[in-house]
mmCIF file of all heavy atoms in Angstrom:
data_model
loop_
_atom_site.group_PDB
_atom_site.id
_atom_site.type_symbol
_atom_site.label_atom_id
_atom_site.label_comp_id
_atom_site.label_asym_id
_atom_site.label_seq_id
_atom_site.Cartn_x
_atom_site.Cartn_y
_atom_site.Cartn_z
ATOM 1 N N GLN S 1 23.458 -103.386 22.255
ATOM 2 C CA GLN S 1 22.381 -104.070 22.986
ATOM 3 C C GLN S 1 21.532 -104.941 22.063
ATOM 4 O O GLN S 1 20.897 -105.888 22.510
ATOM 5 C CB GLN S 1 21.502 -103.035 23.689
ATOM 6 C CG GLN S 1 22.207 -102.292 24.805
ATOM 7 C CD GLN S 1 21.323 -101.211 25.420
ATOM 8 O OE1 GLN S 1 20.134 -101.119 25.102
ATOM 9 N NE2 GLN S 1 21.880 -100.402 26.294
ATOM 10 N N GLU S 2 21.533 -104.598 20.768
ATOM 11 C CA GLU S 2 20.719 -105.342 19.802
ATOM 12 C C GLU S 2 21.584 -106.151 18.832
ATOM 13 O O GLU S 2 21.077 -106.658 17.829
ATOM 14 C CB GLU S 2 19.837 -104.365 18.993
ATOM 15 C CG GLU S 2 18.975 -103.447 19.839
ATOM 16 C CD GLU S 2 17.911 -104.185 20.633
ATOM 17 O OE1 GLU S 2 17.638 -105.361 20.300
ATOM 18 O OE2 GLU S 2 17.343 -103.603 21.576
ATOM 19 N N SER S 3 22.882 -106.247 19.121
ATOM 20 C CA SER S 3 23.832 -106.972 18.250
ATOM 21 C C SER S 3 23.828 -106.415 16.830
ATOM 22 O O SER S 3 23.891 -107.160 15.845
ATOM 23 C CB SER S 3 23.514 -108.473 18.235
ATOM 24 O OG SER S 3 23.617 -109.026 19.531
ATOM 25 N N LEU S 4 23.782 -105.079 16.719
ATOM 26 C CA LEU S 4 23.808 -104.393 15.429
ATOM 27 C C LEU S 4 25.142 -103.689 15.229
ATOM 28 O O LEU S 4 25.851 -103.376 16.191
ATOM 29 C CB LEU S 4 22.672 -103.373 15.348
ATOM 30 C CG LEU S 4 21.247 -103.926 15.446
ATOM 31 C CD1 LEU S 4 20.241 -102.786 15.529
ATOM 32 C CD2 LEU S 4 20.939 -104.834 14.268
ATOM 33 N N VAL S 5 25.458 -103.417 13.970
ATOM 34 C CA VAL S 5 26.694 -102.734 13.588
ATOM 35 C C VAL S 5 26.342 -101.370 13.009
ATOM 36 O O VAL S 5 25.406 -101.244 12.207
ATOM 37 C CB VAL S 5 27.482 -103.565 12.557
ATOM 38 C CG1 VAL S 5 28.652 -102.765 11.979
ATOM 39 C CG2 VAL S 5 27.988 -104.853 13.187
ATOM 40 N N GLY S 6 27.085 -100.349 13.410
ATOM 41 C CA GLY S 6 26.942 -99.023 12.837
ATOM 42 C C GLY S 6 28.051 -98.757 11.829
ATOM 43 O O GLY S 6 29.205 -99.151 12.033
ATOM 44 N N LEU S 7 27.714 -98.091 10.740
ATOM 45 C CA LEU S 7 28.673 -97.822 9.672
ATOM 46 C C LEU S 7 28.839 -96.329 9.456
ATOM 47 O O LEU S 7 27.876 -95.557 9.550
ATOM 48 C CB LEU S 7 28.211 -98.463 8.365
ATOM 49 C CG LEU S 7 28.066 -99.988 8.364
ATOM 50 C CD1 LEU S 7 27.459 -100.450 7.043
ATOM 51 C CD2 LEU S 7 29.404 -100.661 8.603
ATOM 52 N N LEU S 8 30.076 -95.922 9.138
ATOM 53 C CA LEU S 8 30.386 -94.544 8.769
ATOM 54 C C LEU S 8 30.765 -94.515 7.299
ATOM 55 O O LEU S 8 31.676 -95.240 6.870
ATOM 56 C CB LEU S 8 31.563 -94.012 9.596
ATOM 57 C CG LEU S 8 31.268 -93.426 10.983
ATOM 58 C CD1 LEU S 8 30.659 -94.489 11.894
ATOM 59 C CD2 LEU S 8 32.536 -92.862 11.598
ATOM 60 N N GLU S 9 30.069 -93.684 6.527
ATOM 61 C CA GLU S 9 30.341 -93.611 5.089
ATOM 62 C C GLU S 9 30.843 -92.219 4.698
ATOM 63 O O GLU S 9 30.096 -91.240 4.806
ATOM 64 C CB GLU S 9 29.093 -93.915 4.263
ATOM 65 C CG GLU S 9 29.381 -93.846 2.762
ATOM 66 C CD GLU S 9 28.140 -93.913 1.889
ATOM 67 O OE1 GLU S 9 27.034 -93.707 2.403
ATOM 68 O OE2 GLU S 9 28.286 -94.161 0.681
ATOM 69 N N PRO S 10 32.087 -92.114 4.205
ATOM 70 C CA PRO S 10 32.527 -90.852 3.621
ATOM 71 C C PRO S 10 31.817 -90.629 2.284
ATOM 72 O O PRO S 10 31.730 -91.541 1.457
ATOM 73 C CB PRO S 10 34.035 -91.059 3.407
ATOM 74 C CG PRO S 10 34.394 -92.297 4.171
ATOM 75 C CD PRO S 10 33.152 -93.127 4.233
ATOM 76 N N ILE S 11 31.314 -89.424 2.077
ATOM 77 C CA ILE S 11 30.637 -89.036 0.835
ATOM 78 C C ILE S 11 31.434 -87.905 0.202
ATOM 79 O O ILE S 11 31.814 -86.954 0.882
ATOM 80 C CB ILE S 11 29.193 -88.601 1.127
ATOM 81 C CG1 ILE S 11 28.385 -89.811 1.636
ATOM 82 C CG2 ILE S 11 28.533 -87.996 -0.111
ATOM 83 C CD1 ILE S 11 26.970 -89.491 2.041
ATOM 84 N N ASN S 12 31.689 -88.022 -1.097
ATOM 85 C CA ASN S 12 32.591 -87.050 -1.724
ATOM 86 C C ASN S 12 32.010 -85.643 -1.725
ATOM 87 O O ASN S 12 30.804 -85.450 -1.914
ATOM 88 C CB ASN S 12 32.976 -87.510 -3.139
ATOM 89 C CG ASN S 12 31.980 -87.096 -4.189
ATOM 90 O OD1 ASN S 12 31.975 -85.946 -4.631
ATOM 91 N ND2 ASN S 12 31.121 -88.027 -4.598
ATOM 92 N N THR S 13 32.882 -84.685 -1.489
ATOM 93 C CA THR S 13 32.483 -83.272 -1.468
ATOM 94 C C THR S 13 32.926 -82.541 -2.731
ATOM 95 O O THR S 13 32.780 -81.322 -2.811
ATOM 96 C CB THR S 13 33.085 -82.572 -0.233
ATOM 97 O OG1 THR S 13 34.487 -82.853 -0.159
ATOM 98 C CG2 THR S 13 32.413 -83.042 1.042
ATOM 99 N N ARG S 14 33.447 -83.270 -3.697
ATOM 100 C CA ARG S 14 33.838 -82.640 -4.972
ATOM 101 C C ARG S 14 32.645 -82.469 -5.914
ATOM 102 O O ARG S 14 32.574 -81.496 -6.665
ATOM 103 C CB ARG S 14 34.920 -83.466 -5.666
ATOM 104 C CG ARG S 14 36.227 -83.570 -4.911
ATOM 105 C CD ARG S 14 37.283 -84.265 -5.758
ATOM 106 N NE ARG S 14 38.478 -84.579 -5.008
ATOM 107 C CZ ARG S 14 39.471 -83.732 -4.762
ATOM 108 N NH1 ARG S 14 39.395 -82.501 -5.229
ATOM 109 N NH2 ARG S 14 40.525 -84.115 -4.075
ATOM 110 N N SER S 15 31.704 -83.409 -5.868
ATOM 111 C CA SER S 15 30.581 -83.333 -6.807
ATOM 112 C C SER S 15 29.243 -83.696 -6.163
ATOM 113 O O SER S 15 28.245 -83.026 -6.404
ATOM 114 C CB SER S 15 30.831 -84.260 -8.000
ATOM 115 O OG SER S 15 30.975 -85.606 -7.593
ATOM 116 N N THR S 16 29.208 -84.722 -5.326
ATOM 117 C CA THR S 16 27.926 -85.215 -4.827
ATOM 118 C C THR S 16 27.328 -84.320 -3.754
ATOM 119 O O THR S 16 26.153 -83.958 -3.813
ATOM 120 C CB THR S 16 28.081 -86.650 -4.281
ATOM 121 O OG1 THR S 16 28.507 -87.500 -5.350
ATOM 122 C CG2 THR S 16 26.772 -87.168 -3.715
ATOM 123 N N ASP S 17 28.110 -83.954 -2.742
ATOM 124 C CA ASP S 17 27.569 -83.191 -1.615
ATOM 125 C C ASP S 17 28.675 -82.313 -1.027
ATOM 126 O O ASP S 17 29.358 -82.715 -0.083
ATOM 127 C CB ASP S 17 27.016 -84.133 -0.552
ATOM 128 C CG ASP S 17 26.126 -83.419 0.461
ATOM 129 O OD1 ASP S 17 26.287 -82.189 0.629
ATOM 130 O OD2 ASP S 17 25.278 -84.087 1.087
ATOM 131 N N PRO S 18 28.882 -81.114 -1.566
ATOM 132 C CA PRO S 18 29.992 -80.262 -1.114
ATOM 133 C C PRO S 18 29.959 -79.914 0.368
ATOM 134 O O PRO S 18 30.996 -79.559 0.935
ATOM 135 C CB PRO S 18 29.833 -79.004 -1.981
ATOM 136 C CG PRO S 18 29.112 -79.462 -3.198
ATOM 137 C CD PRO S 18 28.167 -80.526 -2.706
ATOM 138 N N GLN S 19 28.802 -80.025 1.025
ATOM 139 C CA GLN S 19 28.687 -79.644 2.433
ATOM 140 C C GLN S 19 28.836 -80.822 3.386
ATOM 141 O O GLN S 19 28.815 -80.625 4.606
ATOM 142 C CB GLN S 19 27.331 -78.966 2.683
ATOM 143 C CG GLN S 19 27.150 -77.610 2.007
ATOM 144 C CD GLN S 19 28.163 -76.589 2.515
ATOM 145 O OE1 GLN S 19 29.027 -76.148 1.763
ATOM 146 N NE2 GLN S 19 28.066 -76.242 3.786
ATOM 147 N N TYR S 20 28.991 -82.048 2.866
ATOM 148 C CA TYR S 20 28.988 -83.196 3.768
ATOM 149 C C TYR S 20 30.217 -83.172 4.661
ATOM 150 O O TYR S 20 31.323 -82.860 4.235
ATOM 151 C CB TYR S 20 28.923 -84.504 2.978
ATOM 152 C CG TYR S 20 28.315 -85.626 3.784
ATOM 153 C CD1 TYR S 20 26.944 -85.660 4.036
ATOM 154 C CD2 TYR S 20 29.096 -86.647 4.320
ATOM 155 C CE1 TYR S 20 26.370 -86.669 4.795
ATOM 156 C CE2 TYR S 20 28.531 -87.667 5.083
ATOM 157 C CZ TYR S 20 27.165 -87.660 5.312
ATOM 158 O OH TYR S 20 26.600 -88.650 6.081
ATOM 159 N N PHE S 21 30.014 -83.512 5.937
ATOM 160 C CA PHE S 21 31.108 -83.401 6.911
ATOM 161 C C PHE S 21 32.160 -84.482 6.721
ATOM 162 O O PHE S 21 33.368 -84.208 6.769
ATOM 163 C CB PHE S 21 30.540 -83.481 8.329
ATOM 164 C CG PHE S 21 31.602 -83.587 9.394
ATOM 165 C CD1 PHE S 21 32.420 -82.494 9.685
ATOM 166 C CD2 PHE S 21 31.797 -84.764 10.096
ATOM 167 C CE1 PHE S 21 33.413 -82.584 10.653
ATOM 168 C CE2 PHE S 21 32.775 -84.857 11.072
ATOM 169 C CZ PHE S 21 33.598 -83.769 11.345
ATOM 170 N N LEU S 22 31.730 -85.708 6.513
ATOM 171 C CA LEU S 22 32.648 -86.857 6.452
ATOM 172 C C LEU S 22 32.917 -87.176 4.985
ATOM 173 O O LEU S 22 32.022 -87.661 4.288
ATOM 174 C CB LEU S 22 32.014 -88.055 7.158
ATOM 175 C CG LEU S 22 32.898 -89.260 7.434
ATOM 176 C CD1 LEU S 22 33.932 -88.942 8.517
ATOM 177 C CD2 LEU S 22 32.044 -90.457 7.851
ATOM 178 N N ASP S 23 34.145 -86.914 4.516
ATOM 179 C CA ASP S 23 34.343 -87.037 3.066
ATOM 180 C C ASP S 23 35.547 -87.867 2.632
ATOM 181 O O ASP S 23 35.744 -88.046 1.421
ATOM 182 C CB ASP S 23 34.384 -85.653 2.407
ATOM 183 C CG ASP S 23 35.565 -84.798 2.854
ATOM 184 O OD1 ASP S 23 36.300 -85.199 3.779
ATOM 185 O OD2 ASP S 23 35.746 -83.712 2.263
ATOM 186 N N THR S 24 36.355 -88.393 3.527
ATOM 187 C CA THR S 24 37.469 -89.249 3.115
ATOM 188 C C THR S 24 37.568 -90.470 4.027
ATOM 189 O O THR S 24 37.190 -90.409 5.204
ATOM 190 C CB THR S 24 38.822 -88.509 3.155
ATOM 191 O OG1 THR S 24 39.183 -88.240 4.523
ATOM 192 C CG2 THR S 24 38.783 -87.220 2.343
ATOM 193 N N PRO S 25 38.108 -91.565 3.513
ATOM 194 C CA PRO S 25 38.308 -92.727 4.387
ATOM 195 C C PRO S 25 39.299 -92.442 5.504
ATOM 196 O O PRO S 25 39.177 -93.009 6.603
ATOM 197 C CB PRO S 25 38.828 -93.805 3.428
ATOM 198 C CG PRO S 25 39.323 -93.079 2.225
ATOM 199 C CD PRO S 25 38.492 -91.848 2.117
ATOM 200 N N GLN S 26 40.266 -91.576 5.248
ATOM 201 C CA GLN S 26 41.234 -91.231 6.296
ATOM 202 C C GLN S 26 40.546 -90.543 7.471
ATOM 203 O O GLN S 26 40.815 -90.867 8.639
ATOM 204 C CB GLN S 26 42.328 -90.333 5.714
ATOM 205 C CG GLN S 26 43.249 -91.015 4.708
ATOM 206 C CD GLN S 26 42.684 -91.068 3.298
ATOM 207 O OE1 GLN S 26 41.581 -90.585 3.026
ATOM 208 N NE2 GLN S 26 43.447 -91.652 2.379
ATOM 209 N N GLN S 27 39.647 -89.613 7.177
ATOM 210 C CA GLN S 27 38.911 -88.922 8.239
ATOM 211 C C GLN S 27 38.029 -89.904 8.999
ATOM 212 O O GLN S 27 37.986 -89.886 10.244
ATOM 213 C CB GLN S 27 38.050 -87.801 7.636
ATOM 214 C CG GLN S 27 37.247 -87.010 8.652
ATOM 215 C CD GLN S 27 36.207 -86.096 7.996
ATOM 216 O OE1 GLN S 27 35.954 -86.195 6.788
ATOM 217 N NE2 GLN S 27 35.600 -85.220 8.786
ATOM 218 N N ALA S 28 37.337 -90.776 8.274
ATOM 219 C CA ALA S 28 36.447 -91.732 8.930
ATOM 220 C C ALA S 28 37.228 -92.719 9.795
ATOM 221 O O ALA S 28 36.815 -93.044 10.914
ATOM 222 C CB ALA S 28 35.630 -92.484 7.875
ATOM 223 N N ALA S 29 38.367 -93.204 9.280
ATOM 224 C CA ALA S 29 39.170 -94.160 10.046
ATOM 225 C C ALA S 29 39.699 -93.531 11.323
ATOM 226 O O ALA S 29 39.752 -94.176 12.378
ATOM 227 C CB ALA S 29 40.320 -94.678 9.186
ATOM 228 N N ALA S 30 40.103 -92.246 11.246
ATOM 229 C CA ALA S 30 40.596 -91.560 12.445
ATOM 230 C C ALA S 30 39.493 -91.428 13.487
ATOM 231 O O ALA S 30 39.734 -91.587 14.696
ATOM 232 C CB ALA S 30 41.151 -90.191 12.062
ATOM 233 N N ILE S 31 38.265 -91.151 13.041
ATOM 234 C CA ILE S 31 37.142 -91.036 13.972
ATOM 235 C C ILE S 31 36.826 -92.392 14.588
ATOM 236 O O ILE S 31 36.588 -92.505 15.800
ATOM 237 C CB ILE S 31 35.927 -90.424 13.252
ATOM 238 C CG1 ILE S 31 36.173 -88.933 12.998
ATOM 239 C CG2 ILE S 31 34.640 -90.634 14.060
ATOM 240 C CD1 ILE S 31 35.124 -88.256 12.147
ATOM 241 N N LEU S 32 36.835 -93.437 13.782
ATOM 242 C CA LEU S 32 36.597 -94.775 14.315
ATOM 243 C C LEU S 32 37.636 -95.142 15.371
ATOM 244 O O LEU S 32 37.314 -95.748 16.397
ATOM 245 C CB LEU S 32 36.619 -95.806 13.185
ATOM 246 C CG LEU S 32 35.397 -95.837 12.273
ATOM 247 C CD1 LEU S 32 35.646 -96.776 11.095
ATOM 248 C CD2 LEU S 32 34.147 -96.262 13.032
ATOM 249 N N GLN S 33 38.877 -94.757 15.133
ATOM 250 C CA GLN S 33 39.934 -95.054 16.106
ATOM 251 C C GLN S 33 39.692 -94.316 17.417
ATOM 252 O O GLN S 33 39.898 -94.869 18.502
ATOM 253 C CB GLN S 33 41.292 -94.686 15.528
ATOM 254 C CG GLN S 33 42.462 -95.061 16.434
ATOM 255 C CD GLN S 33 43.802 -94.779 15.787
ATOM 256 O OE1 GLN S 33 43.933 -93.870 14.979
ATOM 257 N NE2 GLN S 33 44.810 -95.561 16.145
ATOM 258 N N LYS S 34 39.235 -93.071 17.318
ATOM 259 C CA LYS S 34 38.973 -92.288 18.527
ATOM 260 C C LYS S 34 37.797 -92.865 19.312
ATOM 261 O O LYS S 34 37.813 -92.854 20.542
ATOM 262 C CB LYS S 34 38.708 -90.826 18.158
ATOM 263 C CG LYS S 34 39.943 -90.085 17.657
ATOM 264 C CD LYS S 34 39.609 -88.656 17.258
ATOM 265 C CE LYS S 34 40.842 -87.925 16.733
ATOM 266 N NZ LYS S 34 40.535 -86.549 16.288
ATOM 267 N N VAL S 35 36.787 -93.338 18.622
ATOM 268 C CA VAL S 35 35.629 -93.915 19.311
ATOM 269 C C VAL S 35 35.994 -95.272 19.911
ATOM 270 O O VAL S 35 35.611 -95.590 21.044
ATOM 271 C CB VAL S 35 34.432 -94.051 18.353
ATOM 272 C CG1 VAL S 35 33.240 -94.704 19.062
ATOM 273 C CG2 VAL S 35 34.026 -92.692 17.815
ATOM 274 N N GLY S 36 36.698 -96.089 19.130
ATOM 275 C CA GLY S 36 37.210 -97.349 19.652
ATOM 276 C C GLY S 36 36.164 -98.375 20.035
ATOM 277 O O GLY S 36 36.319 -99.090 21.018
ATOM 278 N N ARG S 37 35.099 -98.475 19.250
ATOM 279 C CA ARG S 37 34.053 -99.458 19.524
ATOM 280 C C ARG S 37 34.021 -100.495 18.397
ATOM 281 O O ARG S 37 33.922 -100.129 17.220
ATOM 282 C CB ARG S 37 32.688 -98.780 19.653
ATOM 283 C CG ARG S 37 32.633 -97.711 20.741
ATOM 284 C CD ARG S 37 32.853 -98.285 22.142
ATOM 285 N NE ARG S 37 32.966 -97.240 23.143
ATOM 286 C CZ ARG S 37 31.934 -96.690 23.768
ATOM 287 N NH1 ARG S 37 30.702 -97.074 23.480
ATOM 288 N NH2 ARG S 37 32.120 -95.741 24.676
ATOM 289 N N PRO S 38 34.080 -101.780 18.739
ATOM 290 C CA PRO S 38 34.198 -102.802 17.695
ATOM 291 C C PRO S 38 32.974 -102.940 16.802
ATOM 292 O O PRO S 38 33.081 -103.494 15.702
ATOM 293 C CB PRO S 38 34.427 -104.096 18.497
ATOM 294 C CG PRO S 38 33.869 -103.816 19.852
ATOM 295 C CD PRO S 38 34.106 -102.356 20.097
#
């Protein structure tokens, strides 16, 4: 509605944030495909 873009960032769980849910580009890309919003 505001012509904005949302971004998903994988954050590494090996050192920076072991509890972060989204941690690989493969996981993020699969989620983006499921949502299917440009």
